[in-house]
Amino acid sequence: MRKSKIIVQLTESTVLPEDAIMLGESIMKARKIPRSGPVILKFGAYRQHVKIIPSPKTNGMRMSGTLAARMGIHAGHPSRVGLRLQYDADTGTLALGPLIGVLVSRDYPDAPEKPFGSITMFCRELVEACKAQGAYVFFFTPDLIGDNAEGTEGWVYSGKWQRVWLPAPDVINNRLTSRRLENKPNVQQFIAETKHAYGTSIFNEKFLDKTEVFDALQKNNDLRRYLPESHQLRNIAILKAMCSRYSSVFLKPVRGSLGKGIIRISRLGADGYQAMHATSAGYRRQTYPTIAKLYASLASKMKMSRYQIQQGLHLIEIGKRPVDFRALAQKNAAGKWMVTSIVARTAGEQHFVSNLARGGTLSPVGVAVAKANISKNSQDAALRLRQAALHIAQGVDDSIPAHFGELGIDLALDANGKVWLLEVNSKPSKNDNTPLNEGKIRPSVRMMIQYSRHLTGF
């Protein structure tokens, strides 16, 4: 049952022994916590038997700073922290939480003001959102994970960033940005052991491959209408067939992101084929007289990376720059998918991909559609994009055996107003989907905490 947060105040060990906590009588009465006998105090994977000292004057909980540090609770000044509380009469367990661990790729211990580089402000935002909702968050990297699944070193913020030991969390949000890090044996072992031993929930637990997503969604009759024709590029026959059906096709690395490695191939009639390679500066253009010459030029790339070949779409444009849309779908406090934000992304000059990392710019959906060369069905474009994102998020959830809590869904409109799926990203960049008029704490950050509370019952 969800309860409002309580204030946990830390005291000197001379005031309270390490095996006791003081708890307000009104809280004990409301939660039906017995006055006699010890209880098991729980915080993430941490467990300890403690005695409860009822207090008529206390409206929260008090514990010694020594006990709190052992649990992994580090408060700033004043020495207090707001947390949610649950009591399970069947097991005699008094749980504080939820304890949320965010698994990030790297830290910079020599930069204490900015220990996570460019995502430090996002991490601070999560800290503030947790304070508001009565949760506790820490951040850890693959290099900080040790041999013991009971806990890990991690970073907390209480007036300043500090690295401390913490118990394994109730929830892990996997924000690793590379498959190499995600597949490290210590990461996979920690995730498996915390799931098994402590019931930890891990969401966004794996990367998605483009082929995997399109093959899974292709089996759903309701979702097939959003899918451009798409295949894994296995041989020249597939390339030849796609180039004969469509005036342009896109080759995308199956495991690529941020627009890296995308190639647009266009037919030039009797003059053969043109390949445009996305680069950080724009694109590099090459022409080939035959499909065989074109395929031969791709052979070395295909040895290094698998490619998905996708039907070229005539996307809406603003000033001859293609426009697509990034929707952020997240699970809410009830565990249901919803679209937290959706923005239009217009490609930069001399670019044919819209990612911000490639010079793209953001605008509200309505503004972009009004400026674009769309011929019809523009009035309800935002609604149809939102509905498509929800259907696709649910389709991924139903079809792919992994736990996802948020998905970045890239959509497009063609000149006739039809909605198309471009790709689905299980590690959406917080830069790409930032709302244009954001407040201090973004809705997407608040939603992550709400879903974590849903998973844990807090």
Short mmCIF file of all heavy atoms in Angstrom, two decimals, residues 3 74 182 390:
data_model
loop_
_atom_site.label_atom_id
_atom_site.label_comp_id
_atom_site.label_asym_id
_atom_site.label_seq_id
_atom_site.Cartn_x
_atom_site.Cartn_y
_atom_site.Cartn_z
N LYS A 3 2.06 4.84 0.95
CA LYS A 3 1.92 5.74 2.09
C LYS A 3 2.74 6.98 1.82
O LYS A 3 3.70 6.96 1.06
CB LYS A 3 2.43 5.05 3.38
CG LYS A 3 1.72 3.74 3.72
CD LYS A 3 0.30 3.97 4.15
CE LYS A 3 -0.36 2.65 4.59
NZ LYS A 3 -1.77 2.83 4.98
N HIS A 74 22.66 8.35 3.78
CA HIS A 74 23.57 9.46 4.09
C HIS A 74 22.80 10.75 3.92
O HIS A 74 22.44 11.14 2.81
CB HIS A 74 24.79 9.42 3.18
CG HIS A 74 25.61 8.19 3.35
ND1 HIS A 74 26.70 8.11 4.19
CD2 HIS A 74 25.48 6.95 2.79
CE1 HIS A 74 27.20 6.90 4.15
NE2 HIS A 74 26.49 6.17 3.31
N GLU A 182 27.46 -3.32 -20.84
CA GLU A 182 26.30 -4.08 -20.38
C GLU A 182 26.59 -5.57 -20.30
O GLU A 182 26.07 -6.28 -19.44
CB GLU A 182 25.12 -3.81 -21.32
CG GLU A 182 23.80 -4.37 -20.83
CD GLU A 182 22.64 -3.87 -21.66
OE1 GLU A 182 22.33 -4.49 -22.69
OE2 GLU A 182 22.06 -2.83 -21.30
N LEU A 390 2.27 4.85 -28.41
CA LEU A 390 1.71 3.99 -27.37
C LEU A 390 1.54 2.56 -27.88
O LEU A 390 1.88 1.59 -27.19
CB LEU A 390 0.35 4.54 -26.90
CG LEU A 390 0.38 5.70 -25.92
CD1 LEU A 390 -1.03 6.18 -25.62
CD2 LEU A 390 1.08 5.29 -24.62
#
